[in-house]
Amino acid sequence: MAILVDNLLDVHSVTAVLNSLSDDLFVDGKKTAGKTARAVKKNLQADPKSPKIIAATKLVEQALRKHPMVTNSAFPDKLSNIIISRYDEGMTYGSHVDNAFIHATRTDLSFTLFLSDPDTYDGGELILQKHDGDDVIKLPQGSVYIYPTRELHYVAPVTRGVRYAAVGWIQSQVRAEEHRGTLFDLYLALQQMADTEENKQARLQILKARSNLMRMWAE
């Protein structure tokens, strides 16, 4: 199950993050890649020890942990260190699968938060390779795409401009993807059911079922 969240960061927050990204903060992205991924990775990553980057990634993490669509679909427990990536013209990240553990975090879900205005660059799509066809993702500034880490994926070559994004991984409180999907369906049902006296008992029954399933499935 993949989730798209529009405007995880508002325009002011995105601008603040982008304004903190000076050229001297970026290093070769191969330094953080595993042996297999290193062969296909051609991008830049911001120095995670920089105070500016620490502040930027903290802003992203806080937004993820607060947004109801994220908390009720991904159920974040731990987040890995968030990476601010940069793709200049000609840069790409070839087909790969992310490690099962990153920074002592089990990678149940991956996310890409798009920071650049899509009109300012060509290419740079996040592409998930699936048996029934590829999913091609290119979102507006501030929007995030969350997807199961098990998927093979790549970032298409940037052919014009610069693509900035924040990427990271989530260890969920609910490990099984099908369980997260069921809990999210129940959340959506509650959102779509008017909170009226007529619906009061039905809403309570859904809340009861969802809470009991959380107790069964959460780690």
Side-chain angles (χ1 to χ4, degrees):
M1 181 183 72
I3 299 292
L4 189 163
V5 180
D6 290 323
N7 299 315
L8 180 79
L9 293 185
D10 62 27
V11 63
H12 301 294
S13 297
V14 172
T15 300
V17 171
L18 290 174
N19 287 343
S20 71
L21 303 180
S22 54
D23 289 347
D24 61 302
L25 292 176
F26 285 89
V27 298
D28 190 341
K30 291 182 185 293
K31 293 183 177 181
T32 59
K35 182 179 179 181
T36 302
R38 195 176 301 126
V40 296
K41 188 175 187 181
K42 185 181 179 183
N43 70 357
L44 300 171
Q45 291 177 182
D47 178 4
K49 296 179 181 179
S50 162
K52 291 181 179 180
I53 301 306
I54 291 171
T57 56
K58 185 175 292 186
L59 180 68
V60 173
E61 178 169 354
Q62 289 172 343
L64 286 165
R65 288 193 178 277
K66 284 169 41 179
H67 199 288
M69 283 287 286
V70 179
T71 58
N72 287 286
S73 62
F75 306 97
D77 180 14
K78 296 170 61 179
L79 271 71
S80 72
N81 293 347
I82 296 170
I83 295 171
I84 306 291
S85 65
R86 169 177 159 175
Y87 291 77
D88 294 336
E89 188 172 323
M91 291 186 175
T92 183
Y93 195 165
S95 182
H96 64 285
V97 63
D98 297 326
N99 292 337
F101 286 86
I102 296 176
H103 302 299
T105 300
R106 188 184 68 236
T107 55
D108 299 319
L109 295 159
S110 304
F111 65 85
T112 296
L113 171 64
F114 289 77
L115 296 172
S116 296
D117 181 338
D119 292 335
T120 64
Y121 67 99
D122 294 330
E125 297 87 355
L126 169 65
I127 300 179
L128 277 60
Q129 299 168 277
K130 297 185 175 181
H131 297 300
D132 57 351
D134 293 347
D135 289 344
V136 180
I137 313 298
K138 188 173 183 179
L139 302 180
Q141 282 181 302
S143 297
V144 67
Y145 192 72
I146 304 172
Y147 59 96
T149 304
R150 58 178 167 74
E151 301 287 0
L152 280 169
H153 59 283
Y154 67 96
V155 177
V158 171
T159 58
R160 176 185 67 89
V162 179
R163 174 200 192 261
Y164 289 101
V167 300
W169 299 267
I170 297 170
Q171 178 173 311
S172 179
Q173 296 173 352
V174 180
R175 187 167 187 166
E177 182 179 351
E178 62 270 27
H179 293 167
R180 292 195 300 269
T182 297
L183 291 167
F184 187 52
D185 285 343
L186 292 171
Y187 166 77
L188 292 177
L190 284 170
Q191 297 303 110
Q192 294 161 12
M193 182 181 291
D195 189 3
T196 63
E197 188 63 30
E198 182 182 10
N199 291 334
K200 181 177 180 179
Q201 192 59 37
R203 287 178 59 85
L204 283 171
Q205 291 296 329
I206 294 173
L207 282 167
K208 175 186 172 183
R210 192 170 186 271
S211 295
N212 288 334
L213 289 173
M214 275 292 294
R215 274 185 279 273
M216 290 171 58
W217 295 337
E219 297 183 352

